[in-house]
Every structure is written in structure tokens, then in C-alpha cells.
Amino acid sequence: MLHIGHGSMVNASRIISIVPYGNPYGSAPIKRMIQGARETSFLIDATYGRRIRSVIITDSNHVIISTIESTTLNERLKQVRQ
């Protein structure tokens, strides 16, 4: 399991990608992906009202938004997968 902040965990084996979010990375395609996931109920908001810093995409098409930087999540994922 990968800790993604505020006590939330994600199954590390289901993660396809971790994408940075915010300046300068706050691109329109990522925002559209988040909005599409919100509309289809595939968005999991693990920010608890705080600023989005990374977007996690799973093999089940769920989009998870987190307040932890993508570089930090990537390092944690490397440790979990060892």
C-alpha cells in the first residue's frame, strides 16, 4: 500500500501513473481528466480541501488527487515495490 497523505492509502500494484499538478504543470489535459473523472464518479479526492499537488491514475480508470508532491510519491512507490 502507498501512503498518499492524510491517512489515505492506495494499492501500489494498481497505479499506472503519477502526474505532477500545479504550476508550471497544471496543464489543460490533466484538468480535463480530473473533471471527466469527477463527472463519471471515478475521482477520488484525497486532498481534504487542500491544494492538489499530484494526480494518480490507476488501472481501473480511477483518478486520485493528492496533496503530496509527485516526486515524493514516486520515491515512496519505489520503496513499496522493493
Side-chain angles (χ1 to χ4, degrees), residues 24-48:
Y25 306 108
S27 64
I30 299 298
K31 290 178 182 178
R32 283 193 300 269
M33 182 177 54
I34 291 170
Q35 186 59 36
R38 181 175 280 122
E39 291 170 357
T40 58
S41 299
F42 277 89
L43 180 70
I44 300 170
D45 186 347
T47 62
Y48 294 92

Side-chain angles (χ1 to χ4, degrees), residues 43-58:
L43 180 70
I44 300 170
D45 186 347
T47 62
Y48 294 92
R50 294 183 173 96
R51 185 173 147 231
I52 302 170
R53 292 203 173 114
S54 62
V55 179
I56 302 165
I57 300 139
T58 66

